Amino acid sequence: MSTVPQLSVVMPIYNEQEALPRTVERLRPILDALGVGYEVVGIDDGSTDATPVLMQKIRQDWPEFRVVRLARNSGHQAALKAGLDRAHGDYVVSLDADLQDPPEKIPEMLALAREQDLDIVYGVRGDRTSDSSFKRRSAGAYYWLMRKLVGKRMPNQAGDYRLLSRAAVDALKALPEHQPVYRLLVPWLGFPSGEVLYVREERVAGTTHYPLGKMVRLALDSIVNFSAAPLRLATWLGLLSFAVCLVMSVYTAVAFAVGATVPGWSSLFMGMLFLGAVQLICVGLLGEYTARIYSAVQARPAYFIGYDSADDEPRENSR
């Protein structure tokens, strides 16, 4: 009969048939050396390559490796949510399967959490030279903006590589978030936290699953899900357009009074273009928030579990 582990490592996996064996090769010795009961929760996010078969083979040789398969591809954050929801450990570490975040930092995270009684330990990227110049600059802009929205509780350059206590995991599970962005939600909890610095490495194999389009979508979800600032921006744009129109009206009246009017369409065309752009921006922002209200009313789950190997095993509590 299996026992409840002290540590869970949640690993979202999508089409990682090349990277996964190398990840397991580095991760397993580190966890075995900890001297604590652990599980590795591999979340197959609807992979279309040989990843599901590979995960089953890994489980045959590694009993602590647990296979959770989502019924369809639901996205990285939904897969991470599925892992947090189903992890059993007293501490839960989230780790991607591409080895850009080194698993060698897990013992340091666990030791820091225990020594200082912390609920959260962030993996902070102290060096991102392995990323392209564009990615470093766009990431820097993202974290700057998020810190403006969330506050200084959000560490700079902290992604989804972190350790959470059982109390923090339970708090996240209790939140009614349909589209969670954990790099904002976790700092928002305000639980005692610490940081572990590491050097971000190059992807061990395969290609990135976060191209520009997904990065933009993550930024949009982060802003809209966590702040009403865009709605206030729409209000200020409306006030600005009104002020510009008022100034143009006064200028036109004065020009007409002194007989300095000149027939032309440029000013009229530019004014109409400006007002139309402001209106479309405002409608677009309102549409984003309305779409999220609609999604919340539907209350559809972020993911569906197709299979969990842990359901085949009885489990007793050893805490």
Side-chain angles (χ1 to χ4, degrees), residues 75-314:
H76 181 269
Q77 293 296 300
L80 182 55
K81 175 177 172 58
L84 294 177
D85 288 347
R86 300 181 77 85
H88 296 133
D90 295 324
Y91 291 96
V92 180
V93 173
S94 53
L95 174 71
D96 288 341
D98 55 13
L99 287 182
Q100 286 193 285
D101 302 327
E104 288 80 6
K105 287 294 180 178
I106 293 177
E108 185 178 347
M109 288 179 167
L110 183 60
L112 183 63
R114 286 175 165 176
E115 290 171 4
Q116 300 186 16
D117 194 22
L118 302 177
D119 289 302
I120 306 167
V121 178
Y122 299 100
V124 176
R125 301 158 183 172
D127 186 346
R128 300 191 61 154
T129 54
S130 61
D131 291 335
S132 64
S133 176
F134 172 77
K135 191 164 186 178
R136 289 198 302 271
R137 292 182 180 180
S138 60
Y142 170 82
Y143 286 109
W144 175 84
L145 179 59
M146 293 306 105
R147 284 167 67 87
K148 291 293 184 181
L149 296 177
V150 181
K152 294 183 178 180
R153 293 189 304 271
M154 179 180 178
N156 192 26
Q157 299 297 331
D160 288 318
Y161 186 31
R162 67 179 74 86
L163 177 143
L164 301 172
S165 69
R166 173 49 50 185
V169 172
D170 290 342
L172 289 173
K173 290 167 64 176
L175 295 176
E177 296 284 334
H178 294 279
Q179 295 176 313
V181 180
Y182 285 110
R183 61 187 64 188
L184 299 183
L185 283 177
V186 173
W188 177 83
L189 293 176
F191 285 12
S193 64
E195 298 180 3
V196 169
L197 291 176
Y198 69 93
V199 178
R200 185 166 174 80
E201 303 175 10
E202 293 184 1
R203 200 176 215 282
V204 68
T207 57
T208 179
H209 298 313
Y210 256 97
L212 179 60
K214 287 190 175 181
M215 291 172 60
V216 172
R217 189 65 194 177
L218 176 64
L220 182 61
D221 288 341
S222 301
I223 295 171
V224 176
N225 287 4
F226 216 83
S227 174
L231 291 178
R232 299 188 184 98
L233 176 63
T235 301
W236 285 108
L237 285 173
L239 292 174
L240 176 62
S241 64
F242 175 78
V244 170
C245 290
L246 182 63
V247 171
M248 291 178 64
S249 299
V250 173
Y251 172 78
T252 301
V254 172
F256 179 79
V258 300
T261 55
V262 178
W265 56 270
S266 298
S267 59
L268 178 62
F269 178 74
M270 292 300 296
M272 292 178 61
L273 201 62
F274 175 75
L275 289 176
V278 170
Q279 289 174 347
L280 288 175
I281 291 173
C282 295
V283 171
L285 292 173
L286 291 173
E288 285 291 335
Y289 281 92
T290 303
R292 279 157 176 75
I293 294 172
Y294 178 64
S295 177
V297 170
Q298 287 179 317
R300 293 175 181 170
Y303 62 87
F304 288 100
I305 299 295
Y307 169 76
D308 187 345
S309 60
D311 293 340
D312 301 332
E313 301 176 359

